[in-house]
């Protein structure tokens, strides 16, 4: 069996009467379906548009699908750029990131949220962090312990993955690899800021010695959200015209359950 990257479904047409949303807005009118949601999160975004870096702060429901778009990297993770390693919090849209395939891809968007222990959440359980111990995935991968966010996925080339998918590699959640030794699940005890990145296309970038994917919603997520929630979600990404602009996945993805069932 060979792997063909899935494509995203068409993005529902925008309502002609909807109000334009600019970088000057700090919030967007909530769809009726989420107006009663009392659990919200402050989502911070920066993006490149027409050669300028714009930014916004949006208060929106703390839906798991939203939070996953903001929570792969923690403060201090070094991301390899064409100018050298840069801490994720210092990255700016417009920089070029080095990718695992040897190419460079322009950073178009950076988003962040703060995970607050004990805060109400719409997720089934509180968010966890994942500390990767030195050399957990080979010499210098990473060179020292690094902590990643709950949405981090790493490129995996295990022979079992190749046999199961018929492809050379797959993206696996770090959460699926938590074994208490090489990857340790951590419950945050203080507020922790986490980040995610969107490049020109879906990429596997180099972060503290690991091959970690940039953000992509995947083909299933748009189908799982009501249309008005999907419109709210796309408001986080003003540089994109629609959900299809995320492009194709660079590799197959496995869920936690898929990966663990192989071992």
């Amino acid at each position: 069996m060979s792997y063909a990257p899935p494509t995203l479904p068409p993005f529902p047409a925008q309502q002609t009467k909807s109000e334009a949303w600019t970088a000057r807005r700090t919030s967007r009118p909530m769809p009726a379906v989420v107006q009663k949601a009392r659990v919200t999160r402050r989502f911070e975004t920066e993006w490149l548009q027409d050669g300028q870096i714009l930014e916004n702060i949006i208060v929106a429901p703390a839906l798991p699908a939203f939070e996953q778009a903001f929570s792969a990297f923690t403060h201090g993770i070094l991301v390899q750029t064409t100018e050298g390693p840069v801490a994720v919090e210092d990255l700016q849209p417009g920089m070029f990131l080095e990718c695992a395939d040897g190419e460079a891809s322009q950073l178009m968007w950076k988003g962040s949220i703060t995970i607050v222990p004990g805060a109400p959440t719409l997720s089934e359980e509180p968010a966890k962090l994942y500390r990767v111990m030195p050399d957990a995935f080979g010499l210098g991968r990473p060179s020292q312990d690094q902590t990643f966010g709950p949405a981090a996925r790493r490129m995996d080339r295990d022979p079992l993955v190749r046999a199961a998918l018929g492809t050379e590699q797959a993206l696996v959640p770090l959460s699926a690899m938590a074994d208490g030794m090489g990857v340790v699940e951590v419950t945050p005890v203080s507020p922790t800021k986490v980040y995610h990145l969107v490049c020109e296309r879906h990429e596997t970038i180099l972060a503290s010695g690991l091959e970690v994917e940039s953000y992509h919603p995947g083909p299933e997520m748009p189908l799982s959200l009501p249309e008005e929630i999907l419109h709210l979600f796309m408001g986080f990404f003003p540089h994109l015209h629609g959900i299809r602009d995320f492009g194709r996945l660079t590799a197959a993805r496995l869920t936690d359950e898929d990966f663990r069932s192989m071992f």
Side-chain angles (χ1 to χ4, degrees), residues 43-259:
F43 298 87
E44 300 181 27
T45 58
E46 301 174 42
W47 68 96
L48 186 67
Q49 187 166 310
D50 299 326
Q52 292 185 320
I53 299 174
L54 304 179
E55 58 185 34
N56 198 7
I57 297 173
I58 308 156
V59 176
L63 297 172
F66 290 4
E67 293 178 336
Q68 289 169 10
F70 290 78
S71 57
F73 307 95
T74 63
H75 193 90
I77 290 286
L78 294 177
V79 177
Q80 194 67 33
T81 76
T82 54
E83 302 299 322
V86 176
V88 65
E89 63 270 19
D90 295 328
L91 289 174
Q92 292 186 325
M95 290 181 169
F96 283 86
L97 310 185
E98 291 192 1
C99 305
D101 61 5
E103 301 293 328
S105 185
Q106 191 171 34
L107 178 63
M108 303 301 295
W109 178 96
K110 181 175 79 172
S112 63
I113 58 174
T114 299
I115 297 174
V116 179
T121 177
L122 297 177
S123 299
E124 293 182 359
E125 57 183 42
K128 305 290 186 179
L129 304 177
Y130 296 91
R131 180 171 296 164
V132 183
M133 306 309 290
D135 305 327
F137 297 109
L139 186 63
R141 297 188 299 164
S143 58
Q144 57 184 1
D145 65 287
Q146 298 286 344
T147 302
F148 289 82
R153 288 189 181 92
R154 170 188 168 268
M155 188 67 81
D156 192 282
R157 298 180 178 84
D158 190 281
L160 290 176
V161 171
R162 296 200 297 267
L165 296 179
T167 184
E168 291 298 315
Q169 55 195 13
L171 292 161
V172 179
L174 275 180
S175 57
M177 300 179 176
D179 57 6
M181 296 181 292
V183 179
V184 181
E185 184 178 90
V186 178
T187 300
V189 296
S190 60
T192 302
K193 196 163 188 177
V194 289
Y195 305 80
H196 220 325
L197 309 170
V198 173
C199 296
E200 299 171 275
R201 53 193 176 274
H202 187 225
E203 298 284 6
T204 307
I205 61 177
L206 303 176
S208 294
L210 302 186
E211 299 175 29
V212 182
E213 71 166 348
S214 62
Y215 178 70
H216 190 293
E220 296 85 10
M221 191 277 281
L223 299 175
S224 69
L225 297 180
E227 181 176 333
E228 34 189 3
I229 298 296
L230 185 58
H231 279 291
L232 181 59
F233 171 79
M234 286 306 302
F236 293 133
F237 306 96
H239 67 293
L240 301 179
H241 296 293
I243 193 72
R244 293 177 65 88
D245 288 345
F246 280 103
R248 297 168 70 90
L249 287 171
T250 190
R253 278 176 172 169
L254 294 178
T255 65
D256 288 48
E257 294 75 18
D258 292 336
F259 183 75

